[in-house]
Amino acid sequence: MTSKQSPVLQILFVILLGIYSSNGYSATEKQTVYVGGYLFSPYVELVDGENYAGLTIKMIQALNLIQSNYDFKFVPTSIEKRHQAFHHGRFDMVLFESPQWGWLSREVNFIPLPIYDGEPFIALAKNAQAPNYFHELGNKNIILVKGYHYAMTQWQQVDVGYSENMRLVKSTKAAIESILKSRGDIAPVTYSYLMQYLKRNPSKRKLLRISGKWDQTYQHSVVLKKDANIQLAELQGLIKQLIKSGVLANLAQEYDLPTTAK
C-alpha cells in the first residue's frame, strides 16, 4: 500500500488525464518495472505500520502518471540486504542511491538526479561550545544508523562491532533523539530528515547544534539493472520529463531537498 498523492501529483494527473482523453488514449498491457526501496527517511517511511510513504513512493507515482507503457511498482527490502536482493533480481531499479554506497563494484547503470543530500554532524548545543568540537571525533561517542554508509567508515556498511566508540541505532530519528537524550556525543544525520524533524519539533532546534562540517554530501542517482524491464534510454527520457516539467523539483521541495549542490 502507498500514501495518498501529493498536490503536485494530483495536478499532474489532471493535466495528463486531459491529454490522454483528447488523444483517444486506451489502456494497454503494461510492462512491470519493480522499484526496490528500504526504510530511509524521508525517501521511504512506514506509516501506521503498513503503508509506505515518502519521496520514493511519490516519484513512482509520478513515473506512472507520465506514460502508459510501464507500471512502476514498489518492492520493499532492507538496507542490509538490498544489494543481494538486487543481484537476485527482486527488482529492476533503486531510486535515491549514491554509487559509493556499495554499487561501484557492480555491473549497473547510474542515472544522476538533480537532487542532493548529505549528513551534517549534530550535537547537544550545551556540549558543543568549542569551535573545534566537531573536528575531534576520536574521543567522542558517535551515533550511527545501522546499515548506512558513511565517509567516516570508508563507505563500509556499518554493523554491530564496527568500532567501540560507535553506537548503532535503527533510524535517523533514533539518532537525533539519542543525541537529545545524551546517549551519544555526536551523530551524522540525514539533512533532509533533520529539517523535517525540526519543523515538526521546533522546540528541539535550540537544543541542538548543527555543524558546518558534514560527514558526506551526495548527488542522488537511480541504480538500474543492465537487463531491467525498461531500457536505460527510456528511463532517462522519463526522468527528463519530470525534470523539465518541474515535478521533480517540486517533490524535492516538499522534503527540504536541495536541487543544487551544497
Side-chain angles (χ1 to χ4, degrees):
M1 300 179 69
T2 59
S3 63
K4 294 182 179 178
Q5 291 180 358
S6 68
V8 173
L9 296 181
Q10 290 173 352
I11 293 169
L12 179 60
F13 176 76
V14 171
I15 294 171
L16 291 172
L17 183 62
I19 293 172
Y20 289 155
S21 298
S22 64
N23 291 338
Y25 167 78
S26 60
T28 58
E29 186 175 352
K30 299 180 180 181
Q31 177 74 42
T32 302
V33 178
Y34 296 100
V35 184
Y38 50 90
L39 295 180
F40 175 27
S41 300
Y43 304 93
V44 178
E45 300 177 296
L46 196 59
V47 181
D48 299 327
E50 59 177 351
N51 298 317
Y52 287 99
L55 181 55
T56 292
I57 305 303
K58 290 183 179 179
M59 186 165 173
I60 290 172
Q61 293 172 348
L63 287 169
N64 283 328
L65 285 172
I66 63 172
Q67 51 75 45
S68 59
N69 295 321
Y70 299 96
D71 182 18
F72 290 85
K73 287 189 175 181
F74 180 70
V75 178
T77 185
S78 69
I79 190 169
E80 296 91 349
K81 296 180 179 179
R82 72 191 191 280
H83 297 101
Q84 183 181 0
F86 186 90
H87 176 73
H88 289 296
R90 282 199 61 212
F91 36 84
D92 298 284
M93 56 186 277
V94 188
L95 298 169
F96 305 112
E97 282 279 344
S98 170
Q100 291 175 303
W101 299 345
W103 297 106
L104 291 175
S105 61
R106 298 178 181 272
E107 288 293 320
V108 297
N109 292 310
F110 296 108
I111 304 175
L113 298 171
I115 294 180
Y116 298 80
D117 210 340
E119 275 77 41
F121 290 97
I122 64 169
L124 280 176
K126 65 180 182 180
N127 295 337
Q129 299 297 319
N132 63 345
Y133 184 85
F134 292 98
H135 294 271
E136 298 176 356
L137 305 183
N139 62 343
K140 294 180 176 64
N141 292 317
I142 304 172
I143 304 295
L144 300 178
V145 179
K146 185 176 184 289
Y148 279 22
H149 299 259
Y150 297 93
M152 67 165 53
T153 64
Q154 291 74 52
W155 312 113
Q156 294 183 52
Q157 196 172 46
V158 294
D159 207 337
V160 176
Y162 182 83
S163 175
E164 289 185 359
N165 73 323
M166 294 180 180
R167 177 172 174 264
L168 302 185
V169 294
K170 292 183 178 180
S171 67
T172 303
K173 179 181 180 182
I176 296 170
E177 294 183 347
S178 291
I179 294 299
L180 290 169
K181 295 174 182 177
S182 298
R183 294 176 178 171
D185 298 315
I186 66 170
V189 297
T190 307
Y191 175 80
S192 55
Y193 181 81
L194 176 62
M195 293 300 100
Q196 295 215 324
Y197 179 89
L198 293 176
K199 281 183 179 179
R200 294 191 294 264
N201 304 277
S203 64
K204 305 297 184 184
R205 183 178 289 272
K206 63 183 178 182
L207 301 177
L208 293 173
R209 181 180 172 194
I210 304 170
S211 173
K213 178 183 177 181
W214 293 46
D215 174 74
Q216 62 176 316
T217 58
Y218 40 83
Q219 178 181 2
H220 278 300
S221 292
V222 178
V223 179
L224 181 69
K225 285 174 57 180
K226 295 285 188 179
D227 60 346
N229 288 339
I230 184 171
Q231 295 295 312
L232 173 63
E234 289 181 283
L235 184 58
Q236 288 173 323
L238 294 178
I239 290 173
K240 284 181 181 178
Q241 287 185 49
L242 294 180
I243 294 170
K244 288 183 178 180
S245 66
V247 169
L248 191 57
N250 287 334
L251 288 176
Q253 188 176 20
E254 286 186 31
Y255 292 92
D256 296 296
L257 282 158
T259 52
T260 56
K262 281 190 165 293

